[in-house]
Amino acid sequence: MNIKKIKKIFYFPVNFSIIALFITTLICCNKESDPLIPPAESSSWIKQSTNITNNLKGIYFTDSLTGYACGNSFPNDSSKIIKTTDGGASWHKKPVPVSAASLNSIFFTGQNTGYACGSLGNIIKTTDAGENWALLPVITSNFLYDIIFYDSQTGISSGINGTIIKTTNAGLNWQIISLPFSGTLYSIDVTLNGEAFICGDFGTVYFSSDYGSSWSLQQTPSQNTLKSIFFTDANTGYSCGQTGTLLKTTNKGVNWVILPPPATDEFTSVFFINESTGFLTGDIGAVYKTYDAGNNFTRKSTPTANFLRKCFFVSPQYGWIAGESGTIIHSSMGGE
């Protein structure tokens, strides 16, 4: 047998084994030297397509499918109110009969009847689930920031210059409630038996026990502007605002205490889905969730860096947050 043939027969298998061993060793070494990369944080918050660029300031859902959002006029007046009937998968513009620059809050007393308030003292009302809106009698020219109803007839709205107005006939007539306060009142919440709370500039909180007809000033440990207030029951409530301000009461506002904030940025909205679980929203797409009644908060991943202004949950699972540049984000998993 030719020696060259013998060498060829054994030469290639031997060299292939050596090469295979070398490659295997090299791969193993590289794997051992690779840094451990943690998996990306998952989030149940998804961004919905609104097809508008308006800054959205209010949001409200009457059920898990039907909801509304309101905001300012840019780039055109037809985008002040948008509506969804499929949980936010699609949003549609609804025309409104006002030329005011902004609508800041929206609230529904039932499936069909709702209200929105805004600049120039404008309040509009719908009785057909947001398809058509009518301008209610204007009693003030002051900028209105919030509107809320106790029932189908009795509601209150608040705004700049200490403005509080009240209706007892579903918005047909309004009366001005005088307060010795010249700052802005940004947010209202109502509880049982005709009680209500309003927060605003200079750490101000007012309390009413007679459906908003009269108000008494409560003492808080903050001078920072409070942008949002929310009560989980008749006694326990929260308020948040500028520079990470976060307050809590467990005795109907007789005493308010400062809670450790999860950040020092401005908080724009506080909303609780039960006595322990709640949310804060703010700038740079910030959403913070607490599981222990505000003692600790965890920042949740969101698909936006836009300023988030208003949080609303229609159930413990389904929630939406509205913000700047037409932003709406949605969770169907309790905001995880």
Side-chain angles (χ1 to χ4, degrees):
M1 182 180 291
N2 191 310
I3 290 293
K4 289 184 179 180
K5 283 188 177 181
I6 295 174
K7 285 184 177 180
K8 285 183 180 180
I9 291 172
F10 290 97
Y11 179 79
F12 285 100
V14 170
N15 279 276
F16 180 79
S17 299
I18 294 172
I19 292 170
L21 179 61
F22 174 76
I23 292 172
T24 303
T25 304
L26 182 62
I27 290 172
C28 291
C29 290
N30 284 342
K31 283 186 176 180
E32 289 177 359
S33 62
D34 284 345
L36 294 175
I37 301 174
E41 181 184 357
S42 61
S43 172
S44 70
W45 290 103
I46 61 171
K47 190 173 183 180
Q48 298 187 325
S49 177
T50 61
N51 296 314
I52 63 170
T53 57
N54 301 47
N55 292 333
L56 296 173
K57 301 177 180 180
I59 191 163
Y60 195 98
F61 273 70
T62 55
D63 56 47
S64 62
L65 296 177
T66 308
Y68 308 82
C70 66
N72 62 16
S73 295
F74 183 82
N76 56 67
D77 284 347
S78 65
S79 302
K80 283 200 188 76
I81 288 183
I82 55 176
K83 177 184 177 181
T84 181
T85 55
D86 54 15
S90 60
W91 291 86
H92 305 281
K93 301 174 185 178
K94 297 298 175 182
V96 294
V98 293
S99 59
S102 181
L103 290 174
N104 302 309
S105 177
I106 190 164
F107 186 91
F108 273 71
T109 59
Q111 289 289 332
N112 295 316
T113 303
Y115 303 80
C117 70
S119 52
L120 301 178
N122 281 312
I123 298 178
I124 58 175
K125 178 180 180 179
T126 179
T127 55
D128 59 3
E131 295 304 310
N132 297 280
W133 295 82
L135 181 64
L136 297 180
V138 177
I139 192 174
T140 178
S141 60
N142 286 336
F143 201 101
L144 298 174
Y145 273 100
D146 203 7
I147 188 167
I148 195 168
F149 275 70
Y150 292 91
D151 51 42
S152 63
Q153 299 296 310
T154 306
I156 48 182
S157 182
S158 67
I160 66 171
N161 300 324
T163 299
I164 297 178
I165 59 176
K166 175 183 176 180
T167 180
T168 56
N169 56 7
L172 182 62
N173 302 105
W174 295 82
Q175 65 179 111
I176 295 177
I177 308 299
S178 297
L179 285 183
F181 181 69
S182 59
T184 297
L185 297 170
Y186 287 100
S187 179
I188 315 166
D189 198 17
V190 298
T191 59
L192 301 174
N193 304 317
E195 296 175 342
F197 297 82
I198 292 183
C199 68
D201 286 336
F202 318 118
T204 299
V205 175
Y206 276 95
F207 169 69
S208 173
S209 59
D210 55 6
Y211 293 90
S213 294
S214 62
W215 298 84
S216 58
L217 180 65
Q218 296 190 328
Q219 298 300 313
T220 73
S222 176
Q223 291 294 310
N224 294 325
T225 295
L226 299 174
K227 289 295 187 71
S228 180
I229 194 164
F230 190 96
F231 272 69
T232 58
D233 56 43
N235 295 306
T236 305
Y238 303 81
S239 187
C240 66
Q242 290 181 339
T243 63
T245 302
L246 180 60
L247 307 180
K248 179 179 181 179
T249 180
T250 56
N251 57 6
K252 202 175 293 187
V254 174
N255 302 105
W256 290 87
V257 298
I258 297 176
L259 295 180
T264 57
D265 298 324
E266 178 176 335
F267 298 135
T268 55
S269 178
V270 57
F271 193 101
F272 274 71
I273 58 179
N274 56 46
E275 62 182 11
S276 300
T277 308
F279 298 86
L280 293 170
T281 66
D283 203 358
I284 323 177
V287 176
Y288 301 92
K289 183 175 182 179
T290 180
Y291 303 88
D292 58 6
N295 293 315
N296 299 279
F297 281 86
T298 302
R299 182 159 183 170
K300 295 299 178 180
S301 175
T302 63
T304 182
N306 289 334
F307 203 126
L308 299 176
R309 294 183 177 273
K310 188 69 173 180
C311 178
F312 185 88
F313 275 75
V314 73
S315 72
Q317 289 78 35
Y318 293 97
W320 292 261
I321 301 175
E324 290 185 348
S325 303
T327 300
I328 293 180
I329 61 174
H330 166 59
S331 173
S332 60
M333 298 174 60
E336 288 301 316

